[in-house]
């Protein structure tokens, strides 16, 4: 089974379980606070996943190791190459 | 070590995501278990908004992403092409890919 099929299966199972519980199709009487928590659950999971993604991206941006020396060296090499090519007649 | 603006933006994003996460978790998970007369309920909108606001934001985001896609595609349509020769390598690779798939 492909990954997509696995994901869709999992989503379908969890989604149907959630739907059955929120609509009371199983006939079990959940305490009212639990019902209140249950019906926004998909939205909650999506928002948490989004927050996790945003936080991870932000953290990796903040802790990314820049190599300032290599960057400067690269820039000077680019200028050198441009001068060389311009001398050989390539128009930029 | 990451430089100046990178750190500010990065940790800013982390802070924003943590704030949103804690507020939303309190709203959805904790509030139902807190006595309805407690003062904390004053700081949270009615429960229906806990689903409506993310839904609306999601739709807006999709709208913007779609607009960006259309805009990017429209940029490439009006460029004139002098000959088909530059597209040949791409066509060749595409056909090669097709034959490889068939062989499998």
């Amino acid at each position: 089974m492909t990954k997509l099929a696995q994901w869709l299966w999992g989503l379908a199972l969890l989604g149907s379980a959630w739907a059955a519980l929120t609509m009371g199709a199983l006939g079990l009487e959940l305490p009212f606070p639990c019902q209140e928590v249950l019906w926004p659950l998909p939205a909650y999971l999506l928002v948490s996943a989004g927050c996790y993604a945003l936080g991870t991206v932000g953290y990796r941006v903040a802790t990314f190791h820049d190599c300032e020396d290599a960057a400067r060296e690269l820039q000077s090499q680019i200028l050198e190459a441009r001068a060389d090519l311009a001398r050989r007649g390539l128009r930029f | 070590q990451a430089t100046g603006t990178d750190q500010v933006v990065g940790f800013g994003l982390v802070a924003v995501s943590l704030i949103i996460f804690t507020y939303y978790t309190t709203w959805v998970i904790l509030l139902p278990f807190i006595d309805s007369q407690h003062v904390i309920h004053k700081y949270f909108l009615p429960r229906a908004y806990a689903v409506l606001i993310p839904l609306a934001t999601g739709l807006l985001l999709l709208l913007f992403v779609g607009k960006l896609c259309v805009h990017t595609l429209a940029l490439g349509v009006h460029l004139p092409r002098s000959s088909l020769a530059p597209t040949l390598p791409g066509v060749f690779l595409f056909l090669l890919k097709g034959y490889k798939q068939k062989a499998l």
Side-chain angles (χ1 to χ4, degrees):
Chain A
M1 196 189 274
T2 65
K3 270 296 171 197
L4 177 66
Q6 282 177 349
W7 274 90
L8 288 176
W9 248 119
L11 279 177
L13 278 169
L14 291 172
S16 50
W18 171 81
L21 280 173
T22 26
M23 318 252 190
L26 292 177
L28 37 78
E29 286 297 319
L30 282 175
F32 184 64
C34 288
Q35 283 180 7
E36 284 270 275
V37 171
L38 194 65
W39 71 262
L41 207 59
Y44 175 75
L45 292 172
L46 276 171
V47 170
S48 331
C51 285
Y52 171 73
L54 196 69
T56 316
V57 166
Y59 181 69
R60 299 257 182 245
V61 166
T63 54
F64 192 78
H65 294 301
D66 292 337
C67 309
E68 302 232 358
D69 295 333
R72 259 179 281 133
E73 195 186 332
L74 188 64
Q75 293 289 0
S76 69
Q77 283 180 344
I78 291 173
L79 288 173
E80 218 182 293
R82 294 190 80 155
D84 187 46
L85 287 170
R87 199 169 17 95
R88 288 169 200 264
L90 186 66
R91 232 156 299 289
F92 285 96
Chain B
Q1 248 319 64
T3 44
T5 22
D6 279 357
Q7 279 184 317
V8 171
V9 170
F11 287 123
L13 277 180
V14 174
V16 165
S17 74
L18 279 176
I19 291 170
I20 294 179
F21 179 71
T22 33
Y23 185 85
Y24 199 65
T25 309
T26 324
W27 198 2
V28 174
I29 308 285
L30 297 181
L31 278 191
F33 294 98
I34 299 176
D35 177 49
S36 59
Q37 303 306 321
H38 198 285
V39 71
I40 199 172
H41 286 271
K42 175 164 69 102
Y43 294 100
F44 294 92
L45 287 170
R47 207 158 170 74
Y49 288 99
V51 174
L52 289 176
I53 294 178
L55 195 69
T57 335
L59 285 175
L60 273 174
L61 272 175
L62 272 180
L63 188 75
F64 277 118
V65 168
K67 278 182 79 169
L68 192 72
C69 288
V70 169
H71 178 69
T72 317
L73 286 171
L75 283 177
V77 164
H78 298 296
L79 291 174
R81 199 174 46 204
S82 51
S83 77
L84 281 170
T87 67
L88 282 180
V91 171
F92 174 71
L93 282 170
F94 177 73
L95 290 173
L96 196 68
K97 213 172 127 179
Y99 280 117
K100 270 168 76 173
Q101 288 282 61
K102 233 179 142 183
L104 287 172

